[in-house]
Each structure stands twice: as structure tokens, then as C-alpha cells.
């Protein structure tokens, strides 16, 4: 059998297993989503391109697609939607970081959190961030998404009163090495206490944010 | 002037600036600790070896030393101690990871949190972890400290109901590359939503944990 | 001449030369398989995509294809099939690791070993592994296939009574660096005595497993 | 408590936990060896330099030292010595590889195996290996230890009828990068089915060899 | 002869050859400084530790030492001092970056420029930078010195009206990799047009700054 | 909103925000260019391939394309063109470096500088450079563009009287690692005071050159 | 002008400039070949794929193509062919290394040397090399081409009486990192005195071999 | 036995085995040198520091030391000295490269070649090289030794009529990564046909040069 679903995960960790799309056939994705949605309010799959979504929809007409976030979701109408008290602020540095930032935002919404989006406030024009600080103060946890040198995470980390989760993106070129530059910057932030996730891993950042809101 | 202290930091982020010991003279460390402790319950410095501690104590007799954690602290008797509701569980994989794990534990205690220590439960003998799960369930946030291949973070991440912060350590040799192997493992964990900090950065993990408890 | 076949290899090492597909034309593959199968029970080629298989079949109608494992094989009906006493257990972490895991499984079968497959038991839901331990105990040697952080190898290595061979896969993204994260994790396992092969090298792991069963 | 000993390890995996010396105090090493030797024929610690050995001996007079291999061992006279049927051949490339090669040889001996040592047969003078092939044929499993470019593993792998375990060493300089060159060479060997362990990990290679002899 | 001095360099490039201290004996350093100072206002050597300075002074009593910058200089009293119109602002992120920042500041002074020093204004407390912007506006070129994640360069680069030269330092640990994290961050800055020099190369930054002032 | 334009940038830094093409849709590029050109003499976008240019032109007929440099520009006829006193010399090593070199040259021209181009003077035939030195002497700042081993930067740096900015290119193969070899060479140049920008970043080099001319 | 041809190169170094194909248009390649062949016996271009060759032939009908080596050459019938006394032996490890090996062989032939080809003698079956040693002894210089772990270079280097040039190839996968594993192995060979060229650089190896024959 | 001397090496390759000092005891070094010198004109050991030399001399009074090159040699007075027709030119970039350059020069002399030394002609002041070209023309093969960015190899390679062997050195800091920058530069030289050896491997370069002179 190609998949042993981890049906206890929602019990253990508060959120069901999520399907990682790459390397799976659309039949596998549809089958797993169907099974997961039987006992959960929402089942989701990440890293789904539009063509795969269309194929999955052929099997599973109720699947929904968040195109910028590249997420598929199936809602179980017989169960109440997820609900977590609290607000996740998602902050991104540049326009090219949007797919990753939106993956974080949509995931947090599907987990049941309120989400506040603040896009394109990178440090090259730092007044864009400084003039939005009051908006940021509504969030209970912040997800900072940035490519290139990832400096936004340090600046936000030095200003925030709430936990900061940093997502390096692969946006950049040359000595960026596919996101490595931003990743290393975030791990070495002079603002203490930033939690870092994998390059482009908006999903993981949102899971941690949701976990934090549940504390 | 060699240091512009960030006196607003406790206001902004809930905890005062912490002195990073390496590259500073003992006079600088003593002077900064003295100034920081004037307006804060506790001022601390990390990565202090025993010889430097003795020198600092020559200047600042009230400084206290946590030797396994390599932390110096100065308490201000005129201010109430720090206090955060909640418990930080610190879990470590092997005996050689203790300095980093204890840096996390002492930092969390100085932040005012309750701390639960669980040492030497690496996955080579996984029953040591599995038979201590109930202890872990008392924590509101978990810090997992591991060197070598860092697999403990994934196993704990797959079992925990609370946020997990992973600290890779430089414990290992050869293809460990000074902690890189454990770092990459933790960033790529199949258990979603683990927040990673820099190699050997027990301090940063505790700061994030404290931040989370404040949510 | 483009290939000097190593006809003594089966004598020297117990198994004939195996064709590595990449960088060879289909004519070269078909010609080498034909020559190898003259004096061996089975000749095989790895890393063959479906289109190349079809071209090879145009030349060599008796060739067989294992599509998930991407292996071509030609059996010599005049020679008895390979036979080794003992069972190889192949354990994989996630659905996306299946091509590599099946390359190991099919290779071991073609070497004449019995094979036990255990798919999708990654440590994010460790009960999936723990509840299958009795199955694993039937194997005389274990091949553990995992991408992402490769923690499954350490957990199996800490539990097994038999030799463990670890295969890191390139399944992952970002700071996975094409399998490097899993490779380093496996080389640094805290469970002692795991033999590691190249990233995605299911074939090599099976060859070592077969070699071990011959001891 | 600084160490949770894994007392079941010998039951589970056939050999008790081994103490990894670096990062432990001599009191910790002595205490763990004492506890481990209560229920096992032999307890051992690796990576012990001569000065640490002397300190350990102050606490534990019966400890024995294998200086070239940097191993400490304590034998329990009330239990029969370890015994495994079969011979481990340890082959090394150059004189500077001896500490690692001997770590493998002594570990295998302490596991109860017969050991055959073949030193300084690197491929720069390949007749040294070719004229010793008959000796090698007495081994049931081979451990090949080499630094620099690690080519010896491939040459032995192409000649041997038995499983080959390769140990890259940190012997080299410049573009050797502390053993990385040899490690990569061994992972990419054109001789199929070589199991690789961490750089300088003679101990791990011997554990795998012993595991194989138990099959 | 161990050194072929490049006596034309001041003619060609505006500043004489500078002695790089590491790997030279104190006799070599003293001899080269003596020869260089014959025809130049000032001859200097970088990366000189205090002990070497004392030895050089034994040979060359007129040598002067800038201890924080680790620079030795010999002035030729018969030539007018160097003089360049304009001001170099040197900005540093943390106290541990001072040796590198001061190497830049002293070099620029020896080149004849006016120098403005702004120490310890890293982005973890960004108000320290923002409240000093007017000071920065007096500089005609800025040198930004930062270790850890090097974010200060981007923030300054986004605010400055003058050329910015970034110097990554090796201050940091773990995933800092000896300055690599800061270097990559600076090369990937989202603030366009920052010129980067080697890790810890305060000297080179000052040479470029002086070159710019000469335009 | 996908983009928060940094309208103050020209005021702060002397040149308006420039659109980085990759990861943006053509609608986004056209919209941003249109908005930027309202208040600036010229708005530009980099890394635009011919197909994207055609799409942008569908929306914004007045856009102009510099095909070798892959730059789009929109001029505001109501504002005087940019003008900076001084000449930027752009020197390139090989024919394959032209796209990057021309990105630098066109950007400098759009900034209002005079530009001198010197193509294909790599050090494999160093007389090509030496016989063009007098041309180089007309430049007030030099941009050196080179792939492979990037040695041209050091040779020019040793000869020039003006600031030198080095641009490593990704032109090369094998151990070039996408421009890393040239980048490291330039950062380690024995000619002191070279400012380095990211791999293939002709744009950034020109921005720094223009900044220098404004000093 | 896009190319400043280095017309003196044949005078200086004994062989004219060779066109590096990647990043050039077919018009540029044809134009440069035409100009180079005016004054040289043969003009050549490397890394030319079949489609580009056809385009170049449209402009330059007399161009000849060596398809396995991916080399284009134009002969000048008015000049005597190149001629060097001596024989270059080109030895390759596996069938997939043939394009690189043949690039070396054809280049050496175009330089005027005699060439001896020995294909597919990798060390996994070392008798293939050992039984061809007498053939190798006819060569005056040896070029060894190998991917994977590149061990063939060390084995040949330990046996040869003549200079050995090693060419690592990008043939491999996983921890081969595009040829890095073979490159490092060759640089660290225990057989002293092997000269290494860039990954896949058969051309450069042949140029060095020709240079050696001219000594 | 700790060493299997390769007594045939001089027959096979023209020069006897050379002792690599690191990791050997002085007794081992003395014993091997004594045995090697019985049948060879000269026996040598590399990488010997002064203290080890003194110890070796205690055992072997006739040993000679080349201190800058860190080479020990023992001459056999009963055999004629080595003799090769031809001249090896050794060219070095900076004063700090001398130990490596002299290792090459002394090795070549011990092989029996004439040697021409040209020190400190790095490209930061290229006239130092250009004004010494006629000296270089006396050499039959050139060894170019350079640290930092290693550009000297390309410049010499573009000018020389004879084979060029490049030796990257570990002289440098920061992004030099222990010689990696120079190594990559030399492997990617735009001057075709340079043979590269390991970082700091002056010995290997001289062995190749001697091999070339024997052609
Ligand atoms: N030389 C060695 N290399 C790798 N692992 C080792 C070595 N010696 C002991 N170990 C393992 O290290 C672990 C003990 O770690 P610790 O709890 O720190 O003593 C055990 O799992 C041992 O099997
Ligand atoms: N701190 C430094 N960092 C980088 N290069 C330097 C430094 N100090 C001096 N140099 C350069 O090093 C070269 C001198 O090298 P050497 O011949 O070894 O003395 C000259 O080109 C100097 O400009
Ligand atoms: N396959 C190749 N690998 C490395 N360098 C080459 C190759 N073919 C030609 N070259 C060199 O590339 C340079 C030509 O660069 P370009 O000016 O871009 O044509 C010349 O110096 C050639 O010697
Ligand atoms: N400086 C050196 N760099 C690289 N290889 C060396 C050096 N000196 C000696 N060797 C080689 O190292 C090998 C000796 O290794 P060992 O058996 O450890 O003495 C011989 O093959 C020598 O040719
Ligand atoms: Mg933007
Ligand atoms: Mg333990
Ligand atoms: Mg699964
Ligand atoms: Mg030897
Ligand atoms: Mg500070
Ligand atoms: Mg050219
Ligand atoms: Mg073959
Ligand atoms: Mg010099």
C-alpha cells in the first residue's frame, strides 16, 4: 500500500496529516485527501500546480484550490470548521515572495486562525515597515517571509513583542544559492529568539504559528 | 563608545538585551551587565568561560555563574524577579549536548518560566523517550537539543501537542561539519512546524519559548 | 569499442555487471543486456525511463520492465534463476520515496533474495513503525529508504538486531540540497553501525544486502 | 541525571551501548563504564586520549587501554567473553590511517570476531594490494580504511566476494576538506554495494561488520 | 629575494603597497616598511598582533601601533601627510565587530580622509541607527561593518544617499560559517548598489572608500 | 496589494526603485513601470526576456527594450532626462559575458552617465587589455565583468587609478559552480579595494558606479 | 565589437584561440571560426550541439563536425596540418564518459598529435586496465577521464612512467554533486604528480598534453 | 607492520616513494627514510617541522633539512645524484606563498632538474611579471604558486609557451576558505591547458614537472 495514513495525528498534534504534493500521482493525492477528509474538518495538500489540481478535481469535485498559495483543500461539511483564537500576521518582503507568503496565510486560515497580511515591506524602503507597525501589533504571532538577504526577519524580530517565525525564500539569484543566503541570515539574526523553517516552507511556518496560538 | 545599549528592548520585546560574551573584554562585559541590571530584574551574559567569569566577578562581586550553561547573571534586588506562566520542557539527546541544553534551561528560568529537564533520551534507544512521554506532556512548549543526526527533533515533533523548537548542536565529527548535519535535519523534519534556531543556540531557543509563553 | 564488459564480475563478486542507464543510447543498453544475459541468469539495467524501455524492447523483445523501480531485466531461460537464502526488509519513510525503495526491492529480488516491503512508516507518525516491528523481525538485513531528514534510519537502527543499510533520497526541497540533508543525517546516526550508500542508490543498497546474505 | 543508559541495547542489537568520549568528563566516563560492565562481558569507550585514560584508571583500575585505537575497555570477569563466528578483514591505505583502522580492528575484536589486519596497501602502489589478495580471501567481511582520495575502497570493492564497508579518514589536506573528498569518493564508488560510514568512524564500521557476521 | 616591492603602486593607484602581515617574519615586515616609507608619506602593515609589533619596533623604533585596528604605520617626516577631501563614515553593528571597523577607520585616516565612527548600531535595536541618521549624512561614503546576519548593510543601503561599502565580519557562530552568512547577505542585499569586500577586510573597504573620495 | 512602491527612493538614494522582473507577471511589471514613470524621468525593469517584453508592450506601448541587456525602460517626456557628470568604463572578459556587461552599461546610461564599453579583453590574451589602457583612463569609475576565474578584475584593479567594481558572471562550467569561482576570486583579489556585487549583477554594479559619480 | 580575437595566441602558446561555444550565437561562432582559420591550419570550437553545428554549416559550408566530441573544426587547405611528435593516450572509465574523453582525443588530434584511445576500463573491473598496460606504455602522456569516484586516475597514476592529466567528469548522481566528487578525488590522489583540469574539460587536458609533447 | 614500502616506485614512475610526514612518528619517518635511501640516490620526506627534523636527525645524523620548504632528505653517497635535463621555473605571487613555492623548487632540485625561482610577482603589480618574462622563457615547464585569487596562473598561462602547472595556496582569509578560492580560479582559468594540483601541494607540482621533463 503506497500510503499509511497517520490518522492519529490530529489527536496527537492538533492538526491532521497534510499531503505533500511533489512526487505523488494525482490519483494518490485525490485518494489520500478523500480519506483524510472523512474524519477531519479540512484535508489539505500543498505544492499543487494548476494542472494537477484539475486532475485531482476530476476525481474529487469538491476540492478547492488556492492558486497563489498552490494549496488544495477538501472541507468536510458534516464537521465544524477549525477554529483557533488569535491572529497570525504574515509579513513579506517583496512581490516575488507572495506564493510562499500566501502558502503560510492560507494554511493558517485553514487551521482556523485569523490572518493579517502585510505584503512588500522589505528593508530597502524601511519606512514601508515602520509606517505599518501598528497593524503588526494586532498579531499574536508573526510569520516573516523574505528572500534575497532576508534582513526583514531581523528588523521585525527587533521590533516585535510576539514570537517571530522566519521563512527564507528561494527568491534571488547568484550567490543566493536557492535560498541559502536568506536561510543563513535568519539563523544568525542578531534579534534573539527567531524560529526558522525550511526555505519556501510557508506551510511549516503556519503550522508552528497555529501550534503557538493553541498554547 | 564601544556599546550603545538597547535600553528599550525589554519594553519592546519583553526581555532586556543580553550580552553575547565572545569578542568582548571582561571589563566590557562587567560594565554592560552593571548598566543593564540597573533597570531590569536580571541582566545576563552568555558564552562565558570560567576564567572570564572570575575576572568579571572581580569587578562585579554580585554576579552569579551557571557553569554548565556558561551563563553569568546579575540580579537587581530592588525589582521583582521575572515571571511567566507556563512550563518549558528541555529535552536533550546525549550527554555531550548538556551545555547547550542547560543554556536553554537556565535562560528560560531567568526569563521566569518553569523548566522541566529531560536529558539523554536520544533515538538510538527510543524507549528512553517513549517511557517519559507523560513527563513531556506537562510542558507548554518544548525545546529539543540534539547533535549527531538530530533525529530526536523529528520524533518529538511527531508526538507533541505543543510548539517544538529545535536546537542543533555541534556535537559530532566528520561529516557532521560542526553541526550542519543536525541543522539540515531539523530544517527538513518530516514532522511539520518545528522552529529551528542556530547551531548551539540554546539561548535563542529559550527566548523564543519565553516569547511563546507570553502569547 | 564503447564497452568492455566485465564478464568475470559474477565470478569475482557473485553478481554480474549491471548496466547504468544514464548517458547510454538505447542501442548500447540493448546490446550490453543481450551480451550479459548470455552467461548469466539475469541481466539488468537501472534508471531506465519508460520511453527508453520501449526503445530497448524494440531491439530486445524479451526485456521486462519494473516501472516503479525503473529497472529493465532480461532473463536467460537456459540458466536457473538466482537464489540466495534470506530475507531483505525494505522500509521506506514516505510515498515519494517509493521509486528508490522499489529499486532496492526489485534488485534484491533479481539477486534471488526474498523481499519484505514496508512503505510509508516515517517518524512523523512513529506508531506506524512501532506497530510493524514484528514484521521487520523476519528480515535478515534491513534497507531503510528515507528523504527529508532521514531520521527513520536512526530509529530503525536503534531497534534492529540485523545489519541496517540506509539510502538517503533526494525527496525534499530547500535546505535539503538534493538529498544532502538526509545523507549527512544517516552518516551521523547515533545508532551505531549503519552502512550508508549514495543518495537515491536503492540499487547499491540491495547489492550490499545480497552480499551480506551470502556471508 | 546526566546519562540514561540504554541497558536494553545488547538485547535489542547484540552489543551494549558504547561510550563516546568527547564532551564527557572522566568521572562520567568511569561511572558509565562501571555501570555498563555490570551486565555485559565488556564495556568500551572510544576517542579516549592517553591523559583521559589515566584519569579514568584512577577511578577504575581494571580499565584497559588500546593506545593506537584510543579505546578504553572494562571486562567483566564473571561473564564469558563475546564471541562471533567469522573473520573481519581490516585493510588500510596509508600509515597515517592507522588510528582509525585500529579503532575498527580493536572494536571488532572486542565484539568477539577474529580480525585480520592489512596495513599500508594504498593504490599508489597497487601491487601491494594485489599480492595480498589471498590473505583477504580469508575474511568474511572487509573494512577498508582510506584517506586522501579513498580509491582503495573501489579497488577492493571490485575484487571482493564479501561485503565491503568503507571508512573515509580525515588524512589529507587542502581540497580534502577534513575527509570530505574520501567520503564522497566512497559514496560514488563504481564498485556497487559498498556501505559507507562517517569520516574516521572505525568504530561504526566494526559494529556493522559484527552485525553482518551475526546474520 | 623574498619581496619585489611594487614601488609604482602609489603612482598607479594613489596609495602605496600595504604589507599583509600574516605569513611574514618580523624581519621581513620591518624591512619592507622601511623601504616603503622612504618614498611615501606613510607605510603601513595590517593584521599585526601586539607581539609582532614589539618585535618590529625592535628593528624600527619609529613604527606606530593602532592596537584595536592591529595596524602598524611608519611616517616619513620629510613628506607631507596624505590628504583626501571628504569624509568616510564607518558604521558597525556590534561591539565584537570593532577590530574590523577600526581597521577600516584607521586605514582611511592614514589615507588622509576625515573619518566618522558610529559603533554598535545593529538592527536588533534599530532606533540606535535611526536616531543617528543626521550624523551619517555628513559622510561622503559609508563603510558598514557587520557580522551575524549582516542586515545592517541593507538597512543603511536603503537609507543612504552616498555609496555604501559592506564588510562582513566573522563575528558569529554555528551556521555563520566564519562570516559566510554575513557575506552572502550583503551580496544579496535588496538595497541595490552595495559594494562588498572580503570577510573581515576593513582595510580593503577603506581603500575603496579613499579611491571613491578621489573621484 | 501586491506592491508597495517605494516612492521616496529617488529622494533618499538618488534613483527610483527599479523593477526586478523574475517572479512577477507582465501585468504587475507594466503596472509598476507605469506608476514609477509618473514622477521619475525614467522607470526601468531588469531581467526581462523578449516574450515578457512583448506582453508588457501590449499594456504599455511606450516601453523600450534593450535586448542584449534584457532591460525595459519607460521615459517620462515631461521630465528632463537623468544626468550625472562622469564616465563609467565597463570592461568585460569574454563574449559570453556580454549580457551582464551590457546590463551594467545600459543601467549606467539610464542613470545619466557617459559609458565607455571595452569588450572581450580577458587575461588569456592580456595584450588586448594592455593595448587599451589609454581608453580606460578616460573613465572615472570602472566596472569589470568576468566569468570563469574572474582574473580580469585583479589585473584591472592593479592598474587603475579609479574605483573598481567587480561583477562575477555565471559564465563557466564544472567547478565554476554557477559563478562561485569568479565571485570568490574577486572577493580575494590581491589588488586592494575592489567592491564586489552579486553574480551576474550588472545592474547593481552600475547603481554603485552612478552613486560614486554623484560623490 | 563582440570579440577581440587573440591572433597572437598561436605564436605565444603554440595553438590558436579556440572558440568556446556556450553563450555565443551561431553567427558569432561562424564569424570567429572564419577569421581564425585565415591564418591557422585549423580553427576549432567546442561544446557545439548538433543543431548549432547545422546552423554554423549554413554560413560556413566547409566546417566539419565531430559529433561524439561536440567539436566543430575548419581546416585551412593552404596551410600544412598541425604536427606534434608523440602520442597522447586517452583512457576513460565508463561508457558515459565518452563525450568528454573524445573531446580530449579529437582536440589532441587536431593539435597534430597521435592519439591512442582506451575506453571503459574503470576500476570496478580492474583487470580491464591491467591487461591493457602494454598498450598504455606507447603513450608519451596520459589523459585519464573518469566520473563517479574518479579512482582510475590514482590507479593509472601509480602505474605510469609518463605525465598523467586527470579529467573529472560530471557522470554520476547524488553525492557526486555534478563532478565535485571526482574532482576532489583527483586533486587528492595518493599517486603524486597528477595534473587536474576542470570537470568535463577534455579540451583543456588535451591542450596541456599537446603542450607537454612540445617540451 | 606500519609501512609496506613501494620499492618498485622508482622503476615504475621514475622517482621513489616520498614520505608524507603528517601523522607519522619521528621513529617511523627515520626508519622509512633509512630504508628508502638504501636503493635510491635520495630519499625525502615532506611537511616536516623543525622539531620533528631534530628528532629525526637524532636517529639519522646524515639527514639534511630545507627549512623554508620543510623537506628532509637523505642522500645515498654510493649512488650518482638524480639528473634530469631541463629547467623548471617556479613563479610565486606573494611573500607568504614562499613555503609552498620552495617545496616545489627543492623537490624539483632533488629530482635532478635545474630550477629557476621568481618570487613575489603577483598581478596586483603586473609589471613585476612583465619585466621578468625573458627569465621565464628559459624554463621548460612552469610551476605557478599563488594564494588569494590565484590570478597569476591565468596571466602566466596566457603568456607561456611551455606547460603550466598551478598550485593554489591556503594564503588568504575569509572567503578564501583555506585555498578554495584560488583552487577554483585555477581550475576555471580562461587560459587553456593549465594542470592544477591540490592546495599547498608544491611537492606534487614538482613531481609532475619532473615527469614532464622526462618525456
Ligand atoms: N566513535 C564513535 N563514533 C560514533 N558514535 C559513537 C562512537 N562511540 C560511541 N558512539 C555512540 O554514541 C552514543 C552515545 O552517546 P552519549 O549518550 O553522548 O554517550 C551511543 O549511541 C554510541 O553507540
Ligand atoms: N588586510 C589586508 N587584506 C587584504 N589584502 C591586503 C591586506 N593588507 C595588505 N594587503 C594586500 O596584500 C598584498 C601584499 O601581499 P604580500 O606580497 O604577500 O605582502 C598587497 O597587494 C596589499 O595591497
Ligand atoms: N571547452 C572549453 N573549456 C574551457 N575553455 C575553453 C573551451 N573551449 C574554448 N575555451 C577557451 O575559452 C576562451 C574563449 O572565450 P570567448 O572569448 O568567450 O570565446 C579561449 O581562451 C579558449 O581557449
Ligand atoms: N606533500 C605531499 N603531498 C601529497 N602527497 C604526498 C606528499 N608527500 C608525500 N606524498 C605521497 O604520500 C604517499 C605516502 O603516504 P604514507 O604511506 O602515509 O607515507 C606517497 O604516495 C607519496 O607520494
Ligand atoms: Mg517591492
Ligand atoms: Mg547517552
Ligand atoms: Mg506518508
Ligand atoms: Mg605508505
Ligand atoms: Mg551591542
Ligand atoms: Mg574571447
Ligand atoms: Mg562500463
Ligand atoms: Mg608582495
Amino acid at each position: 500500500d503506497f500510503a499509511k495514513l497517520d490518522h492519529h495525528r490530529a489527536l496527537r498534534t492538533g492538526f491532521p496529516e497534510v499531503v505533500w504534493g511533489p512526487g505523488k500521482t494525482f490519483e494518490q493525492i485525490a485518494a489520500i485527501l478523500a480519506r483524510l477528509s472523512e474524519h477531519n474538518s479540512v484535508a489539505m495538500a500543498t505544492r499543487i500546480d494548476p494542472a494537477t489540481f484539475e486532475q485531482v478535481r476530476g476525481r474529487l469535485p469538491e476540492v478547492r484550490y488556492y492558486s497563489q498559495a498552490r494549496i488544495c483543500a477538501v472541507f468536510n461539511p458534516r464537521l465544524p470548521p477549525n477554529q483557533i483564537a488569535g491572529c497570525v500576521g504574515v509579513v513579506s518582503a517583496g512581490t516575488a515572495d507572495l506564493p510562499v507568503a500566501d502558502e503560510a496565510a492560507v494554511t493558517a486560515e485553514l487551521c482556523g486562525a485569523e490572518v493579517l497580511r502585510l505584503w512588500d515591506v522589505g528593508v530597502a524602503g524601511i519606512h514601508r515597515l515602520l509606517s505599518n507597525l501598528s497593524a503588526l501589533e494586532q498579531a499574536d504571532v508573526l510569520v516573516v517571509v523574505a528572500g534575497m538577504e532576508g534582513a526583514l526577519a531581523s528588523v521585525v524580530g527587533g521590533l516585535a513583542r510576539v514570537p517571530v517565525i522566519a521563512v527564507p525564500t528561494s527568491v534571488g539569484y547568484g550567490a543566493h544559492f536557492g535560498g541559502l543566503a536568506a536561510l543563513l541570515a535568519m539563523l544568525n539574526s542578531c534579534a534573539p529568539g527567531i524560529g526558522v523553517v525550511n526555505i519556501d516552507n510557508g506551510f511549516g511556518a503556519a503550522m508552528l504559528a497555529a501550534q503557538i496560538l493553541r498554547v
Side-chain angles (χ1 to χ4, degrees), chain A:
Chain A
D1 197 5
F2 63 84
K4 287 197 181 38
L5 292 195
D6 182 6
H7 286 303
H8 307 182
R9 195 172 300 182
L11 294 178
R12 272 196 338 271
T13 70
F15 201 80
E17 185 169 356
V18 167
V19 184
W20 190 55
K24 296 207 177 65
T25 64
F26 75 92
E27 294 96 338
Q28 291 175 330
I29 295 169
I32 303 179
L33 283 177
R35 277 203 272 154
L36 284 171
S37 67
E38 276 166 31
H39 301 293
N40 294 290
S41 302
V42 57
M44 64 181 268
T46 63
R47 310 259 163 150
I48 306 293
D49 56 55
T52 305
F53 162 65
E54 291 303 344
Q55 292 175 305
V56 171
R57 181 154 63 170
R59 297 277 167 115
L60 204 64
E62 67 272 33
V63 68
R64 214 185 122 185
Y65 191 52
Y66 300 81
S67 63
Q68 184 164 252
R70 295 158 307 163
I71 286 175
C72 277
V74 177
F75 295 88
N76 181 330
R78 296 181 316 275
L79 292 173
N82 289 323
Q83 195 79 29
I84 318 178
C87 171
V88 179
V90 184
V91 185
S92 75
T95 299
D97 299 315
L98 283 189
V100 176
D102 213 43
E103 186 183 89
V106 170
T107 300
E109 285 169 342
L110 293 176
C111 285
E114 188 189 342
V115 171
L116 182 125
R117 285 166 169 88
L118 191 61
W119 285 178
D120 198 29
V121 294
V123 303
I126 202 168
H127 59 285
R128 298 180 296 190
L129 178 71
L130 298 177
S131 63
N132 281 290
L133 286 182
S134 61
L136 282 191
E137 283 173 11
Q138 298 162 38
D140 299 298
V141 54
L142 287 168
V143 172
V144 182
V145 181
M148 301 197 168
E149 88 286 49
L152 185 60
S154 295
V155 174
V156 171
L159 293 166
R161 308 165 178 279
V162 296
V164 174
I165 304 166
V167 190
T169 74
S170 55
V171 169
Y173 63 88
H176 198 249
F177 299 118
L180 182 63
L183 170 64
L184 294 183
M186 288 166 170
L187 287 167
N188 285 285
S189 176
C190 58
I194 295 179
V196 183
V197 297
N198 197 1
I199 297 164
D200 291 337
N201 191 1
F203 160 70
M207 294 301 278
L208 178 54
Q211 206 71 286
I212 289 172
L213 292 185
R214 270 187 216 102
V215 168

